[in-house]
Amino acid sequence: LIVGEVWHYAADFLQGNNWDSVMNYPFRNAVLDFVATQELTATEFINELGFLRGNLHNNCQNVLWNLLDTHDTPRTLCVCGENKEKLKLMAAIQLLLPGMPLIYYGDEVGLTGGADPDCRRGMLWDEERQDKALLSYYQKLIRLRKTYPCLTEGDADSMLADDHSGTVTIHRGELTLLFHGRAGETELTQYKDKQDLLTDKPFDGVLQAYQAVVLK
């Protein structure tokens, strides 16, 4: 597998005769601008993802390296002001949308850090300093990817945005993904009582701040 490190839309390198994939920085930028800095509305976020899909061959979609941070960028946790609820939402988007999620070491246990070289801090091997709840959340997302082929095969069936509530609704096969990219609560009563696979409980119809829900 040949993966190129480029920071821009790399369609010229993904025609089948150069690279197999690239580090998907445009995806990272869209996710951070939607959740961390809130510079994008829900509609603008969906449009950014659509622009990326439209510029690359369909065969590339499920092998793009979807990343949130790297050795060259500030840690996502630092960018969002150490708000772990925002980090969890961005991790859900990273792991549940089409592509290959690339988790930078330490994100899953709450490792933070500013711009290079601070983003290259040593791993938190001491388990007493690790955020175990955050690690469990990442593990849950990974189990969902391994359990439901619709999360690793094919594209999104539909993407809907609600700018008033800051909510993105994505249908992938048998699953409905809800991403709430704003503070406060919002109601989505049409999905009430469906099973949320992230909490293993029926969804109560209310999305909390920066919450992700996976409904079946």
Side-chain angles (χ1 to χ4, degrees), residues 70-72 75 104-105 114-123:
T70 72
H71 58 284
D72 288 323
R75 291 273 179 175
Y104 189 45
Y105 75 92
D116 192 3
D118 193 36
C119 55
R120 308 188 190 210
R121 297 184 190 185
M123 176 62 182

Side-chain angles (χ1 to χ4, degrees), residues 97-178:
L97 292 193
M100 282 196 303
L102 177 66
I103 300 173
Y104 189 45
Y105 75 92
D107 282 359
E108 73 283 1
V109 293
L111 183 59
T112 190
D116 192 3
D118 193 36
C119 55
R120 308 188 190 210
R121 297 184 190 185
M123 176 62 182
L124 289 174
W125 295 118
D126 184 353
E127 293 190 4
E128 292 185 359
R129 299 175 60 196
Q130 295 179 358
D131 186 327
K132 294 299 182 61
L134 182 60
L135 176 60
S136 177
Y137 187 78
Y138 269 87
Q139 291 170 331
K140 184 73 173 184
L141 291 169
I142 292 170
R143 282 195 296 271
L144 289 179
R145 282 183 61 86
K146 292 184 175 182
T147 302
Y148 295 93
C150 63
L151 294 177
T152 56
E153 300 173 0
D155 201 349
D157 299 324
S158 68
M159 295 187 178
L160 305 173
D162 183 339
D163 291 340
H164 177 71
S165 64
T167 302
V168 171
T169 302
I170 298 176
H171 298 282
R172 299 202 68 189
E174 62 196 289
L175 304 180
T176 299
L177 316 177
L178 307 178

Side-chain angles (χ1 to χ4, degrees), residues 179-199:
F179 302 125
H180 184 213
R182 296 294 181 265
E185 297 179 348
T186 189
E187 291 188 1
L188 288 176
T189 54
Q190 66 269 38
Y191 297 112
K192 187 176 180 180
D193 295 329
K194 286 193 173 183
Q195 189 73 4
D196 179 8
L197 299 180
L198 279 175
T199 62

